[in-house]
Each structure stands twice: as structure tokens, then as C-alpha cells.
Amino acid sequence: MTTTKENDKPQDLTFTYNRFLYGAFVALGLYFLLAKREISSALSNFGIALIFDPFDQKVMWNNRPAYQQIWLIVHLCIVFGLLGIMLFNWFVR
């Protein structure tokens, strides 16, 4: 006979998956930006990476440590900067 605990819950792996996918999309964005020089592809990959918050998503924005807020704001500024560069190049041509 086996004993099981009634309170056994499956392990929540969303934090692990989100961190992995965030890193993968950032790496892909860096690849397109630095190796291929394709700003539009890098922009889309950096933007998609923001969907997968690498930190605990259960913590509200105001309760997060400052370094997490700064990290995500800098990431968003990079996305907007790439968008500005892409639009500038598109209108100048």
C-alpha cells in the first residue's frame, strides 16, 4: 500500500519556463541585431521576450525590488529605441 499526501500539488514550472523563454528570445534578438543586422527581427524578438517576465509574475509591480523594475524598464527602452531607429530608417529612405 502506498501513502499519498492530500496536499501534494504539482510543481509550478511557469517561472522556469518563463525565464528560459525570456533568455531565448533575448538571445535571438541579440543574434539578429549583432550578427544579421536586422533591426525589425531583433525588435520583434526583444518585444516578445517581454511577454515572458523573467521574474516572479505573482508579485505586483509596486512590490517588486528596484533592480527588477529597472531591468524591465531598460528592456522596454531598448524595444522603443529599436522601433525609433527602424522608423527613422524607413522614413529617411
Side-chain angles (χ1 to χ4, degrees):
M1 181 181 275
T2 61
T3 59
T4 60
K5 295 179 185 175
E6 290 183 17
N7 294 334
D8 270 351
K9 295 180 183 176
Q11 186 178 3
D12 187 19
L13 296 175
T14 55
F15 178 70
T16 306
Y17 289 134
N18 283 347
R19 187 166 277 191
F20 171 75
L21 289 171
Y22 177 84
F25 277 106
V26 167
L28 197 57
L30 287 172
Y31 168 73
F32 279 117
L33 186 63
L34 301 176
K36 294 279 193 172
R37 302 281 187 211
E38 294 180 14
I39 294 176
S40 61
S41 296
L43 168 67
S44 63
N45 283 297
F46 281 128
I48 292 171
L50 279 173
I51 295 171
F52 305 104
D53 187 356
F55 308 110
D56 189 9
Q57 293 181 351
K58 295 175 187 169
V59 178
M60 294 182 59
W61 180 259
N62 294 333
N63 297 335
R64 288 181 183 225
Y67 76 92
Q68 290 181 3
Q69 293 178 352
I70 292 169
W71 180 281
L72 293 172
I73 289 171
V74 167
H75 187 127
L76 187 63
C77 289
I78 290 170
V79 170
F80 284 139
L82 288 174
L83 179 64
I85 291 170
M86 188 181 75
L87 289 175
F88 178 78
N89 288 338
W90 187 65
F91 283 116
V92 170
R93 287 185 194 182

